[in-house]
Amino acid sequence: MRLLPVLSLACLLLSPLADADQASHRASAERFLKLANAEGMTAPIYSQTEQLLTARFAQMGGSMQYESILRDYRQRARALLDTQLSWEAIREELVDLYLPLFSEQEFEQLAAFYQSPAGSKLLQHLPQLTQDSMAITRERVEQILAPQLEQLVEEMELEVEARQTGRAGNRE
């Protein structure tokens, strides 16, 4: 019976340590995300939104005479985006996304890498490398794979049709 109070006391004493470890882990995750420029990852969405508004404004026949309307709507769109996509709005969710994947020590290692010359260079070029990599993949899919896959589908249709026709002929 004396074991229960001892265990309860141990839990109470260890709880702040666990909370401190969790806080430290979260802080490491946030530090890494800042170094990895997670704060800027939504910048393309801001740019695309501005381009969309400008294009729609032009389609509507908007002229310089009404440019103040475009400016106003750009500001309103930025405010909407800030509400949902600013670093402050998404920080906790991003930290929660990364926490289960990396230990505090791993976050520190990642941070050290991103602070190194090679890591800084990777960060600098990663958005363009990602975009170019996706373009290579998209081009291969559109120009090479899509026609080949279409050919496979046509062959499959012919084979299914031939077997169905063969069965129909066997039944008669």
Side-chain angles (χ1 to χ4, degrees), residues 47-113:
S47 174
Q48 291 167 357
T49 301
E50 277 199 20
Q51 290 171 3
L52 173 70
L53 287 172
T54 301
R56 293 296 296 268
F57 180 76
Q59 286 174 351
M60 290 183 260
S63 65
M64 296 304 283
Q65 177 183 0
Y66 303 113
E67 190 175 352
S68 63
I69 294 171
L70 176 60
R71 267 194 315 273
D72 178 53
Y73 278 86
R74 280 182 176 164
Q75 288 173 344
R76 290 171 62 181
R78 177 170 284 281
L80 285 171
L81 292 171
D82 283 346
T83 300
Q84 296 299 318
L85 298 178
S86 70
W87 173 246
E88 290 304 316
I90 64 173
R91 180 183 64 220
E92 291 301 318
E93 288 177 77
L94 288 177
V95 169
D96 289 342
L97 180 67
Y98 279 75
L99 275 177
L101 299 175
F102 300 102
S103 69
E104 185 173 349
Q105 182 181 6
E106 289 168 328
F107 280 125
E108 295 303 321
Q109 291 168 350
L110 287 167
F113 170 70

Side-chain angles (χ1 to χ4, degrees), residues 70-162:
L70 176 60
R71 267 194 315 273
D72 178 53
Y73 278 86
R74 280 182 176 164
Q75 288 173 344
R76 290 171 62 181
R78 177 170 284 281
L80 285 171
L81 292 171
D82 283 346
T83 300
Q84 296 299 318
L85 298 178
S86 70
W87 173 246
E88 290 304 316
I90 64 173
R91 180 183 64 220
E92 291 301 318
E93 288 177 77
L94 288 177
V95 169
D96 289 342
L97 180 67
Y98 279 75
L99 275 177
L101 299 175
F102 300 102
S103 69
E104 185 173 349
Q105 182 181 6
E106 289 168 328
F107 280 125
E108 295 303 321
Q109 291 168 350
L110 287 167
F113 170 70
Y114 280 122
Q115 288 175 319
S116 73
S120 287
K121 188 173 184 177
L122 176 64
L123 275 178
Q124 178 185 356
H125 295 286
L126 192 57
Q128 188 64 47
L129 289 169
T130 301
Q131 183 178 356
D132 292 348
S133 298
M134 290 173 67
I136 289 169
T137 302
R138 184 175 42 255
E139 184 176 321
R140 283 181 173 259
V141 166
E142 291 171 359
Q143 293 181 3
I144 300 169
L145 285 173
Q148 291 175 349
L149 290 171
E150 183 61 35
Q151 179 64 38
L152 280 175
V153 169
E154 289 173 11
E155 289 175 22
M156 180 180 68
E157 287 174 352
L158 289 173
E159 186 172 337
V160 167
E161 187 178 300

